[in-house]
Amino acid sequence: MTTTPQSTAADEHLAEWADRQAKAEAMIPVVGRLYREFGVVTSIHGRTLLGQSPTDILKAHRFARRVDIELTLDDTLPLLEALTALQPGPASVDVARLHRRRLETGEDVSLEDFLRAELGDVIGKHGGDEGESADVVLYGFGRIGRLLARILIEHAGTGHGLRLRAIVVRKGADNDLSKRASLLRRDSVHGSFPGTITVDEDNNTILANGTLIQVIYSDSPASVDYTQYGIDNAIVVDNTGKWRDELGLSQHLQCPGVSRVLLTAPGKGGLPNIVSGINDAMIGDADVVTAASCTTNAIVPALKVINDEYGVVGGHIETVHSFTNDQNLIDNFHKGERRGRSAALNMVLTETGAAKAVAKALPELEGKLTGNSVRVPTPNVSMAILNLTLEKAVEREALNDFLRQASLYGDLHKQLDYVDSPEVVSTDFVGNRHAGIVDGRATITAGDRIVLYVWYDNEFGYSCQVVRVLEEMAKVHPPVFPAV
């Protein structure tokens, strides 16, 4: 066979790819050991490394190069190996941001000394006081409940932190347990459960990746004695949406073994509506807390950074929202206006309280925003369009650069993401862990007026925010490195 320049180049590219795959494969056990033995969660600009394939790890490195600076496997693997050798305690480590800090420090500082300086609070803390654990009960097991279960199982780690102990549902059929497990195992939007699930019909339990979940059947939030299942001082996450005020949700507090309640919906009255990263300080010792709505969580981080930098005079928020289970599949009676019409066949104009709810998280914006919503025939991922008037003019490039930097290195980098691509569509954001993702290509500016387009996975992204609120309530969130 004749060798040509083209075939030689092809062989070289293939060999280079194989080498990169081998390095990514070598990284997998190191990432796993850091998590299982030390409780260290590693990521690249919010893209988790845990449980990823070699190709996914390579894609995460490519993402880092595309949005910021070059990050190679030759940078990442030695850093993770050096961190492992230092026997750290639980922590959340963003490798890309840590690598940038390393470059800023200079090569004259050894990697070990650099890590000791940056992560000094947790270095050598393996086997020491790893913090408390907190029992979690999911009351209801619908779309959000099952995604919360997936995230909590994924975060189980060394057994410290949040521990999913039980789910509470009404019994729907004789084979209820197997059906609940099947819905956890398979999801038409988010794909198959990443692991193994075993059902124990005799004991009413589901074993998922080593997490034993007690399934409790009850028709009333005040009728369960959780202590008989070994559950104590638990936080109950109410996913049903049936009770929205303190009186209704406080029924959970009557149950032995329950200490606090978190609602996965906007609360009524004076309940603290928490958007993680924004107003966590409001949680305090409150017995009942709400995690607001998916839309409120999506828009508040972007509004926060914009208002802090440019000042918001006023504006309108329009939400293009995927249909939800409270709509009808085909036309039928519904107590809400327009929502009785087929969700799969129509765009449905409806109202949203998200714009008003912003003021609960950002009081400085009270009375400055209006809002509306259009439900559309997609099963997941929504978009908020922020039409704002600012206190000062800004050019499109400057605004986008500010938002990109905020998403990478700002205080809200876990809540705010940024994308700059002419080809992305809604399904590209399924599974995104951020509360909202600014689409830089769609940004419009005209003097002091701007229009921002913010994507959000209204199921999974919101569920990640709920878990962050849970961690804050339980005081079990590991320290984040590098510090902002």
Side-chain angles (χ1 to χ4, degrees), residues 48-68:
T48 183
L49 295 177
L50 183 66
Q52 301 301 305
S53 70
T55 302
D56 290 330
I57 290 175
L58 291 173
K59 288 171 65 178
H61 283 76
R62 182 176 181 274
F63 173 81
R65 183 185 72 229
R66 192 170 68 247
V67 302
D68 190 31

Side-chain angles (χ1 to χ4, degrees), residues 19-269:
D19 179 63
R20 292 172 63 205
Q21 277 193 313
K23 291 176 179 177
E25 288 169 357
M27 193 180 299
I28 291 174
V30 182
V31 169
R33 185 185 174 199
L34 276 169
Y35 180 64
R36 283 186 292 274
E37 292 188 21
F38 307 110
V40 175
V41 178
T42 51
S43 63
I44 292 178
H45 288 311
R47 275 72 182 168
T48 183
L49 295 177
L50 183 66
Q52 301 301 305
S53 70
T55 302
D56 290 330
I57 290 175
L58 291 173
K59 288 171 65 178
H61 283 76
R62 182 176 181 274
F63 173 81
R65 183 185 72 229
R66 192 170 68 247
V67 302
D68 190 31
I69 60 175
E70 184 80 14
L71 177 69
T72 70
L73 297 163
D74 290 328
D75 297 319
T76 307
L77 184 55
L79 188 151
L80 295 179
E81 290 174 333
L83 180 57
T84 303
L86 292 173
Q87 301 279 301
S92 177
V93 177
D94 192 309
V95 178
R97 296 171 65 237
L98 198 61
H99 173 63
R100 184 184 179 99
R101 189 74 64 89
R102 166 81 166 144
L103 294 178
E104 293 170 350
T105 302
E107 295 295 330
D108 54 330
V109 178
S110 72
L111 184 55
E112 179 180 336
D113 288 343
F114 167 75
L115 290 174
R116 287 187 181 278
E118 288 292 328
L119 286 79
D121 291 344
V122 298
I123 294 301
K125 297 297 178 65
H126 173 56
D129 181 10
E130 296 185 343
E132 298 294 327
S133 61
D135 290 349
V136 176
V137 173
L138 300 178
Y139 193 89
F141 207 52
R143 297 300 300 160
I144 299 302
R146 293 194 294 274
L147 289 178
L148 288 175
R150 286 190 176 204
I151 297 169
L152 291 169
I153 292 165
E154 174 190 89
H155 288 190
T158 58
H160 296 274
L162 300 176
R163 301 178 61 205
L164 175 57
R165 299 297 309 280
I167 64 173
V168 183
V169 292
R170 291 184 176 184
K171 192 163 189 175
D174 290 339
N175 59 345
D176 186 277
L177 188 62
S178 62
K179 280 187 170 291
R180 304 282 181 185
S182 179
L183 285 169
L184 179 61
R185 183 180 286 117
R186 306 174 181 88
D187 192 283
S188 300
V189 173
H190 300 280
S192 299
F193 176 81
T196 62
I197 293 176
T198 304
V199 175
D200 184 342
E201 297 278 0
D202 294 333
N203 294 300
N204 279 342
T205 60
I206 296 173
L207 180 63
N209 290 0
T211 296
L212 186 64
I213 308 165
Q214 183 70 51
V215 180
I216 302 170
Y217 294 105
S218 176
D219 294 329
S220 167
S223 64
V224 183
D225 181 354
Y226 293 100
T227 59
Q228 67 176 321
Y229 303 102
I231 300 170
D232 188 37
N233 204 32
I235 301 174
V236 171
V237 184
D238 192 316
N239 309 291
T240 66
K242 185 174 181 180
W243 302 277
R244 298 286 188 93
D245 59 10
E246 186 169 12
L247 180 62
L249 292 166
S250 292
Q251 296 178 80
H252 293 293
L253 300 173
Q254 300 174 29
C255 299
V258 174
S259 63
R260 306 178 82 180
V261 181
L262 174 62
L263 170 66
T264 59
K268 296 180 180 179

Side-chain angles (χ1 to χ4, degrees), residues 337-360:
E337 294 182 356
R338 308 185 203 236
R339 293 199 184 193
R341 303 300 298 278
S342 171
L345 298 176
N346 295 292
M347 293 191 294
V348 179
L349 185 63
T350 185
E351 62 181 15
T352 175
K356 292 182 179 179
V358 166
K360 289 193 173 183

Side-chain angles (χ1 to χ4, degrees), residues 457-468:
D457 184 328
N458 49 277
E459 293 186 334
F460 192 79
Y462 174 67
S463 296
C464 289
Q465 282 287 89
V466 172
V467 170
R468 293 173 187 130

